[in-house]
Amino acid sequence: MTVRSDLSIQDDLLDVVEKVLQGAAANVRPDLERRMRLAAAELADGHPTMIIAEAVMHALQQLEVELRSRRAAMADPRHRARLAAEARDDEARLRAFQAQAGKWPRALSDALAATMSDIEFAVHNWLRALLDEGTAVIESQGLAGADLDRWLRQRLVAETEAVHRALRVAAREIGERVAASIGVSEAVPPAHLDLEAPAELVAHIRRGPRILSERQTMATRLIGVLMPAYSGIMIALIVPRFLGLAMPYWLSTAVAASGAIALGGTALAGEKQRQRSRRNSESAAELRSLIDTFRMAVGKRARDGIRAIEWQMQAGLSEAVTNQSQRLLAVAEASRRSAQAGEQPERALAAIDLDLALIGELRERTRRLSRPRRPLPARDEPTETLDAALPPAGSPSPGT
């Protein structure tokens, strides 16, 4: 008696798996196709044949149930009209999807343009509000130089984070919106954005040399303060004499000093106010310059992100549209074949009977292959079966 080797069992089981795979493809069962491909890979990797045989038996059972259901449906007299209506519906669904599928590039461009417009509008509004706030802080607190730079960069980092969040939301949702607008049921993978940290983007913004307004010389400023003081002294001395008032020396001196202090102090206060206004104007100009530089930098970042999303979405949507079109085409072809077969039910029933017979044969082969095999005895060890078959010692052999 010859015992089949493990290699021969694997070859036979692989042949059964391939036939089941062909049947799953012919009956448009992608789930069974995936399972049989996995079974073939597991068989090649040396997995136990018992587990693979169970998966094959399960797939054969599902194919048999589907074929018997189809046979019972085809035996129904109303089956031909139902198949024709399904074929027309599948053809109409395929044509409608093909008409919509050609519009996905325009839909993607519109969605990206709308996203970019929203981001730019939000950035402009926020920067305008930041400019107003910075101007008020400069006038109230007198921020300038490094203090103004630190205050501004903290807010620019926050705005950059908001722009990054908007880009990530767009990368996650734009593909889904475009796919839903053209009727694609397959999920489109989100775009991956490699964005630089907000603090690094803001750090690239360099503050140029401060543009200072023309300043008056020290002599000019002193004259502007001393001349009003001198005028105060002259007024305090001349007016009493002009009016004929006799004033003691100490009183004339006190009045002159009061006039000098009053007019000189007023001039000094005015000079300080002019210097403060000049510094505030210079700080406000620096603030506007930094904000304009940031607007260009963050605008470029947003446009680069939108281009990256567009490039990845084009690849993902193209693949999703192709897969959807192929699925609908396969369904329409299967419906058309079923409708054509429904016009000749005898031939279709005979083909189904042949498939059912083949399934029964494959099930029997799989059942035989899944039975545990007894290993061959060692060459030096006599088997119990052979010992039992031999006559005992001293007994006459047959035919003597």
Side-chain angles (χ1 to χ4, degrees):
M1 180 178 180
T2 302
V3 179
R4 182 174 300 176
S5 65
D6 292 341
L7 183 60
S8 177
I9 293 176
Q10 290 181 356
D11 292 340
D12 289 347
L13 189 56
L14 182 60
D15 181 64
V16 174
V17 170
E18 291 177 352
K19 285 184 170 56
V20 176
L21 181 60
Q22 294 174 2
N27 289 274
V28 194
R29 290 295 301 271
D31 55 335
L32 297 182
E33 290 185 59
R34 289 192 298 268
R35 185 63 189 92
M36 289 300 100
R37 288 194 183 94
L38 180 61
E42 292 176 351
L43 190 60
D45 293 339
H47 286 237
T49 57
M50 293 287 294
I51 300 177
I52 300 174
E54 291 179 1
V56 172
M57 294 290 286
H58 181 68
L60 288 172
Q61 182 180 4
Q62 291 187 351
L63 288 176
E64 182 180 8
V65 170
E66 184 169 346
L67 287 174
R68 291 191 181 280
S69 300
R70 190 182 306 167
R71 192 184 190 286
M74 294 184 70
D76 189 355
R78 298 168 296 180
H79 181 64
R80 184 183 304 176
R82 186 165 59 250
L83 288 180
E86 291 178 357
R88 288 192 299 270
D89 291 342
D90 292 337
E91 288 287 344
R93 190 179 300 110
L94 176 61
R95 287 193 298 270
F97 177 75
Q98 289 175 345
Q100 289 289 332
K103 301 178 182 178
W104 74 263
R106 178 62 181 273
L108 177 61
S109 299
D110 292 343
L112 292 174
T115 301
M116 187 62 196
S117 177
D118 293 342
I119 292 176
E120 288 181 345
F121 181 76
V123 169
H124 291 332
N125 280 344
W126 186 85
L127 291 181
R128 184 175 179 179
L130 179 62
L131 180 60
D132 295 339
E133 181 185 359
T135 303
V137 170
I138 289 173
E139 293 178 354
S140 62
Q141 302 179 13
L143 287 182
D147 295 335
L148 177 63
D149 188 81
R150 285 192 298 271
W151 179 88
L152 179 61
R153 289 182 184 275
Q154 291 177 357
R155 284 153 178 80
L156 295 182
V157 168
E159 176 61 16
T160 306
E161 292 175 352
V163 172
H164 285 186
R165 285 195 299 270
L167 288 174
R168 291 191 178 95
V169 170
R172 185 173 60 253
E173 296 180 355
I174 281 182
E176 298 177 358
R177 293 204 304 266
V178 175
S181 66
I182 61 176
V184 174
S185 58
E186 182 177 348
V188 179
H192 174 70
L193 296 178
D194 187 12
L195 299 175
E196 188 180 15
E200 295 181 5
L201 175 65
V202 176
H204 294 329
I205 301 175
R206 299 298 181 183
R207 184 177 62 179
R210 298 187 64 183
I211 301 176
L212 303 178
S213 60
E214 185 178 357
R215 295 180 180 273
Q216 295 178 345
T217 62
M218 180 62 70
T220 304
R221 291 200 299 271
L222 286 176
I223 290 175
V225 174
L226 293 177
M227 286 303 294
Y230 177 75
S231 300
I233 294 174
M234 291 297 101
I235 292 172
L237 295 176
I238 293 173
V239 170
R241 290 184 180 181
F242 180 77
L243 296 177
L245 298 176
M247 297 177 61
Y249 178 76
W250 64 269
L251 182 58
S252 299
T253 304
V255 170
S258 300
I261 292 173
L263 293 181
T266 302
L268 181 61
E271 179 63 22
K272 288 184 177 180
Q273 180 62 34
R274 284 192 296 272
Q275 292 180 4
R276 186 182 301 110
S277 299
R278 187 183 301 114
R279 286 195 300 270
N280 292 344
S281 299
E282 293 169 356
S283 298
E286 183 180 359
L287 175 66
R288 285 191 295 271
S289 176
L290 289 174
I291 287 178
D292 290 339
T293 305
F294 173 76
R295 180 182 287 108
M296 291 186 292
V298 78
K300 183 180 183 302
R301 170 63 56 83
R303 288 190 296 272
D304 291 343
I306 291 296
R307 280 196 295 269
I309 295 173
E310 182 178 11
W311 181 74
Q312 297 182 46
M313 285 294 106
Q314 283 179 349
L317 284 170
S318 178
E319 182 180 359
V321 168
T322 301
N323 295 338
Q324 180 88 358
S325 180
Q326 290 177 352
R327 285 195 299 269
L328 292 177
L329 181 60
V331 172
E333 290 290 339
S335 299
R336 189 183 303 113
R337 289 194 301 268
S338 299
Q340 292 174 355
E343 296 177 357
Q344 297 177 351
E346 295 80 8
R347 182 179 300 179
L349 291 174
I352 291 177
D353 291 337
L354 290 177
D355 291 341
L356 290 173
L358 179 60
I359 287 176
E361 179 184 350
L362 293 176
R363 183 187 291 110
E364 184 60 29
R365 286 180 60 185
T366 306
R367 187 178 293 113
R368 289 198 305 269
L369 295 174
S370 63
R371 292 173 183 171
R373 300 292 177 178
R374 182 175 300 173
L376 287 173
R379 183 175 299 178
D380 298 336
E381 296 179 0
T383 61
E384 297 179 359
T385 304
L386 294 177
D387 292 341
L390 293 175
S395 61
S397 61
T400 56

